[in-house]
Amino acid sequence: MNMQIPAIIACKLTRLALRLMGRGGTALPGKVALRICPNLLGYLAKNVKTVVITGTNGKTTSARIVEQAFIQTGKSYFANKSGANLITGITAEFAAHSTIFGRPKCEYAVIECDEAATKAIVRQLRPSLVLVTNIFRDQLDRYGEVAHTLENIRIGLSAAPEATLCLNADCSLTASLAAELPNRTVFFGVDVPIYKNRVSEVSDAPYCIRCKSEYEYDYVTYAHLGGYRCPKCGYSRPKPRVSVTRILSQTADSSRIEITADGASHTADISLPGGFNIYNAVGAFTALTEFGFSASEALSALGGFECAFGRMEKFDFGLSPIRMILVKNPAGCNQVLNFLTNLDGDAVFVICLNDNYADGTDISWIWDVNFEVLLGMGESLKKVLVSGIRADDMALRLIYAGIPDSMLEVVYDYDELIERMASSETPVFVMPTYTAMLDLRRRLSEKFGVSNFWE
Ligand SMILES: [Zn+2]
């Protein structure tokens, strides 16, 4: 018997029931559907033109920029939420956007896909285009080594030879996918250094993926990204078709860059700060123009979208602006520090470290983050407040980094922490891990009516 229709109905009913009970955002509807029909996603995705965004960092932001172009041009599309990027969530999203007979209600889908789940998902989705942002070491206890992540993505992509691949040329791991797959491939990258003062980091990919010799770099943008080449076997950064050719300006809220594609240069305003978002922007620009959007449509998406969940939000309830940015792994955290310590002006930093499952239960990654760079801020750094379940471990890390006692304070109580943030006369930058961010946001919404914008 054809099980697709019962599976779709079960999925829709479960979703509706959960919604009536006031409980959204669980994996249950997708689980129910896949139990009844394990290949439901392939069936539902058959007639939808899909863009997949995967990689370790920047998926959500890149997906939101891509989505913005679909919104601005009035296309019939749907997208998954960042919390629903495994096969259950994606299946439920496709079921919600199809009739009970499995006919799609939208022409397009923009799908963020967990990099560890790419293997199972891409095979069924058969996307038209896949954007791979980068590959970094993530929370060790969830994903294992980068080689494993790379292999997962490669196997996933090998099931979709018709998809155009947009690959980060500056990531030696990501770029290596091109030689192993028959797909049409377009590289993007950043041709120039991004930061004046850069955090020196432990590279996640110091050795050649082909012959294990140490890479040489013409320049590094951040972490292992940049102009690498292997002196022994000649593997090197491919010349990107779409490049960031100049960094024109960077502020706490935005960047202006020059993007050059096929010989034509465009000035792009990105409504997000930081070098990592410059990569997200050029990756999304490449995906959009390859998917058929005009350069001007893609540029207007870069400047016109709202901050994605957890990425550099700004709050105005205090005496000074308060900005919050999620940190989840050493590479991401180093980028945030790169960006924040390169800003002009005084700052108070707040670091909230939790070790719940969603944060990664192993917090040893904080020892791979170069907090020493904070010292380079000199007089501009006014205070570092530390909070969260593992506040004491975080404080210890900062003491080892050389942050003086007088600058450092542990505040266990979130209400007290929020008071301190609100009464600061210096701009505040909050760096929470995932569940700490959810906690802070909930308290802010109770206290100041900040809306639950992820709903
Ligand atoms: Zn080599």
Side-chain angles (χ1 to χ4, degrees), residues 207-215 229-235:
Y207 303 109
C208 177
I209 187 148
R210 296 198 183 147
C211 76
K212 307 288 173 222
S213 306
E214 193 166 353
Y215 286 124
R229 60 191 143 70
C230 172
K232 197 165 167 206
C233 76
Y235 174 60

Side-chain angles (χ1 to χ4, degrees), residues 14 18-19 38 51 139 148 165 254 323 327-328 342 424 444:
T14 313
L18 286 170
R19 197 156 279 178
V51 178
Q139 303 138 3
H148 185 63
L165 306 184
S254 64
R323 294 185 178 84
V327 293
K328 55 172 188 168
N342 271 277
S424 170
L444 289 175

Side-chain angles (χ1 to χ4, degrees), residues 115-155:
E115 66 277 21
T118 319
K119 194 158 84 172
I121 293 168
V122 169
R123 178 179 306 140
Q124 298 206 45
L125 275 185
R126 306 300 295 259
S128 312
L129 185 143
V130 180
L131 167 62
V132 185
T133 56
N134 51 53
I135 296 171
F136 280 99
R137 190 164 67 86
D138 209 350
Q139 303 138 3
L140 276 177
D141 47 348
R142 281 185 62 204
Y143 293 129
E145 290 302 314
V146 287
H148 185 63
T149 307
L150 181 64
E151 182 62 2
N152 262 326
I153 295 177
R154 190 192 64 76
I155 295 172

Side-chain angles (χ1 to χ4, degrees), residues 7-17 95-100 105:
I8 295 166
I9 293 171
C11 187
K12 284 178 182 286
L13 286 177
T14 313
R15 193 167 160 124
L16 179 67
H97 293 92
S98 74
T99 67
I100 58 167
K105 292 180 184 169

Side-chain angles (χ1 to χ4, degrees), residues 111-295:
I111 300 298
E112 173 189 335
C113 177
D114 185 283
E115 66 277 21
T118 319
K119 194 158 84 172
I121 293 168
V122 169
R123 178 179 306 140
Q124 298 206 45
L125 275 185
R126 306 300 295 259
S128 312
L129 185 143
V130 180
L131 167 62
V132 185
T133 56
N134 51 53
I135 296 171
F136 280 99
R137 190 164 67 86
D138 209 350
Q139 303 138 3
L140 276 177
D141 47 348
R142 281 185 62 204
Y143 293 129
E145 290 302 314
V146 287
H148 185 63
T149 307
L150 181 64
E151 182 62 2
N152 262 326
I153 295 177
R154 190 192 64 76
I155 295 172
L157 297 181
S158 69
E162 66 285 354
T164 296
L165 306 184
C166 297
L167 303 180
N168 188 342
D170 298 0
C171 172
S172 56
L173 298 162
T174 306
S176 75
L177 288 165
E180 304 192 38
L181 295 162
N183 303 55
R184 180 171 171 274
T185 300
V186 181
F187 289 106
F188 63 90
V190 178
D191 285 356
V192 290
I194 292 176
Y195 296 110
K196 288 188 293 259
N197 314 306
R198 201 170 46 77
V199 172
S200 65
E201 300 168 63
V202 180
S203 172
D204 287 346
Y207 303 109
C208 177
I209 187 148
R210 296 198 183 147
C211 76
K212 307 288 173 222
S213 306
E214 193 166 353
Y215 286 124
E216 290 173 355
Y217 278 85
D218 296 325
Y219 64 93
V220 174
T221 53
Y222 73 81
H224 66 274
L225 308 187
Y228 55 88
R229 60 191 143 70
C230 172
K232 197 165 167 206
C233 76
Y235 174 60
S236 63
R237 173 190 189 247
K239 190 172 163 37
R241 171 125 162 245
V242 183
S243 285
V244 173
T245 36
R246 281 198 294 167
I247 311 289
L248 300 166
S249 67
Q250 295 196 67
T251 73
D253 301 301
S254 64
S255 307
R256 173 171 285 185
I257 57 173
E258 180 186 76
I259 295 181
T260 303
D262 297 321
S265 292
H266 314 275
T267 300
D269 285 304
I270 311 166
S271 52
L272 276 178
F276 40 97
N277 283 316
I278 290 174
Y279 273 100
N280 294 334
V282 67
F285 179 92
T286 308
L288 286 168
T289 48
E290 286 302 317
F291 198 72
F293 288 89
S294 70

